[in-house]
Amino acid sequence: MATISSPGIGSGLDVQSIVSQLVALERRPIDLLKQQASRLSTQLSSFGLLRSYVSNLQSAATQLTRSSLWSQTAATSSDAAAVSVAASSGAAAGSYSVEVSQLARSQSLASSAYADSSVVLGQGTLTFTKGDGSTASVTIGASDTSLAGIRDRINAAGVGLSASIVRDASGARLVLTTTATGLDAAITRIDVTGDPGLQALAYEQGVPGDVEETQQARNALARINGLDIESVSNTLSDVVDGLTLTLSRTTTSAVEVKVSADDEAVKKAVQDFVNAYNDLSRFVAKETAYDEASKKAGALQGDRTAVGLVTQLRTLVSQTSGASSVFATLSSAGVELQRDGTLRLNESRFASALNQRNELAQAFSRADTLDPSVNGFGERFRLLTNSIVGTEGMLTARTEGLRASIRRNEQQQERYEDRVALVEKRLLRQYQSLDASLGQLNSLSNYVSQQMNAINNWNKAK
């Protein structure tokens, strides 16, 4: 008798295997939908990257349209170790001769010497008067009466003083140093109210006492283009418009500070634009190509949106513009189209174009809402990329279309899964019924065979 495979009891049929194979046929549309879903997801991912590349080009093009880029200046110093300089957008081109005769510095005061920092002076109030006439008070409480406690209390008060304990041959001294340089921040007087021991910290500038001035405050003294300058700080941020001069040491000869147009910033902005364009161009070329060796196509091969985007960009590169009377094309400004569709910055031609800075600025940044033909190249690319990645742009529409296709695909898969589950149940019922019928027939066949054998045996025995 044949081996019975569950659930084919009695019939010998492998019902589960038969049903599984039939269900696999029913699942074929689901497998195809899953393959389609994988392709759609790959395309969606590629369009996400494409959007990122277009956004990078958008940012680079927008930078070229900003007037601040073309008016930006850079400052240099002939001796940065003595006078360093930083320029802001408001700095005008020019040259400045800077001489430094004195640096600004802080004031330091020192108390009398004590045995150690735990010596108790007492409670009370210290009132500090500064060179600019302002005052600040510090209250010394019961827990702050030691020399160390007074130090900590002054530091915590935020009154423009740094307090420390300095130990010399005579003992521990409370040293007060102004946190700001210059005469305005210097302490001219310390008034004390409270315990007698605390009175030892009283001070009046120029009057002998327990507290002495160990370092006088000074203002910075300099000459800029023959004009005398005095400052409480070594950082001169309001002397020359748009410039911040930092004085680090006195000079024996004039330091030359020059402010000129920042050609490097403009060159970098144009190179960033070229790089962003090339990154986008190479990405689209890879995603729309067919690899003969591997027989595989890029995720966006044949996609009209991707192909149309490249067409628009290349058309824009080759167009002429009336923004400048000198630079009518990108190539005339030093940005050249290569045979592989990428751009290259011709540095010698671009350097020559920078000699006509105003015209070059117009060529890239000019904007005219009434006459697009006179828009600069940067403005044109800005408008195009805005339209591509905007809420109604081609990439937005294509991305939303792919997401909708993926949702429909998922819904179709769910419907097919439900259908396959019903088919599987039906097939199991049918084959189980067949299995039972065959089992009964097998039993009947066995019974008939047994009876026939019995008859034969009886006949032989006669």
Side-chain angles (χ1 to χ4, degrees), residues 403-455:
R403 289 196 178 105
S405 295
I406 290 173
R407 286 193 296 270
R408 287 194 297 271
N409 180 284
E410 290 172 347
Q411 292 168 355
Q412 286 179 303
Q413 287 191 54
E414 290 174 0
R415 287 196 294 270
Y416 271 110
E417 289 286 1
D418 292 341
R419 174 184 170 183
V420 167
L422 293 175
V423 169
E424 184 176 20
K425 290 180 180 179
R426 176 173 57 80
L427 289 173
L428 280 172
R429 286 196 306 270
Q430 290 175 341
Y431 276 90
Q432 285 170 351
S433 176
L434 175 62
D435 176 59
S437 297
L438 290 175
Q440 290 175 356
L441 290 174
N442 283 339
S443 297
L444 179 60
S445 175
N446 291 335
Y447 173 75
V448 171
S449 296
Q450 291 171 0
Q451 294 302 313
M452 291 299 297
N453 288 335
I455 292 172

Side-chain angles (χ1 to χ4, degrees), residues 102-105 181-184 217-224 228-239 245 247:
Q102 179 175 284
L103 294 177
R105 72 180 186 186
T181 57
L183 298 177
D184 286 351
R218 287 180 181 174
N219 285 346
L221 301 177
R223 286 173 67 85
I224 300 178
D228 290 330
I229 304 296
E230 184 173 358
S231 170
V232 297
S233 169
N234 290 317
T235 300
L236 312 181
S237 57
D238 55 358
V239 175
L245 301 172
L247 313 180

Side-chain angles (χ1 to χ4, degrees), residues 155-428:
N155 285 334
V159 293
L161 291 171
S162 174
S164 60
I165 305 286
V166 176
R167 294 170 180 81
D168 61 12
S170 302
R173 299 177 186 271
L174 178 67
V175 176
L176 304 178
T177 303
T178 55
T179 55
T181 57
L183 298 177
D184 286 351
I187 301 301
T188 59
R189 185 182 181 90
I190 302 176
D191 293 306
V192 181
T193 59
D195 294 340
L198 198 61
Q199 297 294 332
L201 298 182
Y203 167 78
E204 185 173 354
Q205 196 171 46
V207 177
D210 292 329
V211 175
E212 61 177 322
E213 188 176 46
T214 57
Q215 177 175 288
Q216 290 183 338
R218 287 180 181 174
N219 285 346
L221 301 177
R223 286 173 67 85
I224 300 178
N225 283 357
L227 298 176
D228 290 330
I229 304 296
E230 184 173 358
S231 170
V232 297
S233 169
N234 290 317
T235 300
L236 312 181
S237 57
D238 55 358
V239 175
V240 181
D241 286 344
L243 288 186
T244 298
L245 301 172
T246 302
L247 313 180
S248 301
R249 70 185 184 197
T250 57
T251 61
T252 55
S253 60
V255 175
E256 295 301 319
V257 172
K258 293 184 178 180
V259 182
S260 57
D262 194 347
D263 290 346
E264 285 302 313
V266 173
K267 180 181 176 181
K268 181 181 182 302
V270 175
Q271 186 63 63
D272 288 345
F273 167 78
V274 169
N275 293 343
Y277 181 94
N278 289 345
D279 288 343
L280 172 59
S281 178
R282 293 187 182 107
F283 175 77
V284 175
K286 178 176 71 71
E287 293 296 299
T288 56
Y290 179 80
D291 189 342
E292 288 289 348
S294 64
K295 305 298 182 183
K296 290 184 178 180
L300 303 182
Q301 190 195 38
D303 187 274
R304 290 180 295 177
T305 300
V307 174
L309 185 150
V310 172
T311 301
Q312 290 187 60
L313 290 174
R314 291 183 177 174
T315 299
L316 207 55
V317 167
S318 60
Q319 282 182 348
T320 59
S321 168
S324 165
S325 60
V326 178
F327 305 108
T329 63
L330 271 174
S331 61
S332 66
V335 180
E336 301 172 345
L337 182 64
Q338 305 300 291
R339 299 181 69 176
D340 63 355
T342 61
L343 298 178
R344 182 179 75 90
L345 181 62
N346 185 319
E347 295 196 11
S348 60
R349 179 176 290 185
F350 184 73
S352 177
L354 279 171
N355 292 327
Q356 301 182 74
R357 191 183 185 86
N358 291 336
E359 286 294 332
L360 189 62
Q362 287 291 303
F364 280 99
S365 65
R366 185 174 177 180
D368 192 322
T369 56
L370 298 179
D371 186 3
S373 68
V374 297
N375 281 339
F377 301 114
E379 177 67 8
R380 291 182 177 192
F381 274 94
R382 186 187 71 83
L383 293 174
L384 176 60
T385 51
N386 283 354
S387 68
I388 291 173
V389 298
T391 55
E392 298 181 0
M394 64 168 69
L395 285 189
T396 303
R398 186 72 176 96
T399 300
E400 288 303 317
L402 286 170
R403 289 196 178 105
S405 295
I406 290 173
R407 286 193 296 270
R408 287 194 297 271
N409 180 284
E410 290 172 347
Q411 292 168 355
Q412 286 179 303
Q413 287 191 54
E414 290 174 0
R415 287 196 294 270
Y416 271 110
E417 289 286 1
D418 292 341
R419 174 184 170 183
V420 167
L422 293 175
V423 169
E424 184 176 20
K425 290 180 180 179
R426 176 173 57 80
L427 289 173
L428 280 172

Side-chain angles (χ1 to χ4, degrees), residues 28-220:
R28 180 59 180 163
I30 297 177
D31 295 336
L32 294 175
L33 284 171
K34 286 183 177 180
Q35 294 174 14
Q36 182 189 52
S38 178
R39 290 193 298 271
L40 290 171
S41 295
T42 301
Q43 285 184 317
L44 184 61
S45 177
S46 293
F47 270 106
L49 289 172
L50 180 58
R51 185 184 187 89
S52 177
Y53 283 115
V54 174
S55 295
N56 289 343
L57 180 60
Q58 178 188 38
S59 298
T62 300
Q63 177 65 11
L64 292 175
T65 67
R66 292 185 174 133
S67 60
S68 58
L69 170 69
W70 301 96
S71 62
Q72 187 172 329
T73 54
T76 59
S77 169
S78 63
D79 186 358
V83 180
S84 60
V85 60
S88 66
S89 58
S95 180
Y96 305 91
S97 176
V98 182
E99 301 171 77
V100 182
S101 58
Q102 179 175 284
L103 294 177
R105 72 180 186 186
S106 301
Q107 176 198 44
S108 286
L109 304 175
S111 71
S112 298
Y114 295 89
D116 56 48
S117 61
S118 64
V119 172
V120 174
L121 276 66
Q123 301 182 55
T125 301
L126 305 176
T127 300
F128 301 94
T129 302
K130 298 182 181 181
D132 61 2
S134 64
T135 61
S137 296
V138 177
T139 299
I140 308 301
S143 60
D144 308 317
T145 57
S146 68
L147 201 63
I150 294 171
R151 173 201 61 194
D152 295 341
R153 192 70 191 90
I154 292 173
N155 285 334
V159 293
L161 291 171
S162 174
S164 60
I165 305 286
V166 176
R167 294 170 180 81
D168 61 12
S170 302
R173 299 177 186 271
L174 178 67
V175 176
L176 304 178
T177 303
T178 55
T179 55
T181 57
L183 298 177
D184 286 351
I187 301 301
T188 59
R189 185 182 181 90
I190 302 176
D191 293 306
V192 181
T193 59
D195 294 340
L198 198 61
Q199 297 294 332
L201 298 182
Y203 167 78
E204 185 173 354
Q205 196 171 46
V207 177
D210 292 329
V211 175
E212 61 177 322
E213 188 176 46
T214 57
Q215 177 175 288
Q216 290 183 338
R218 287 180 181 174
N219 285 346

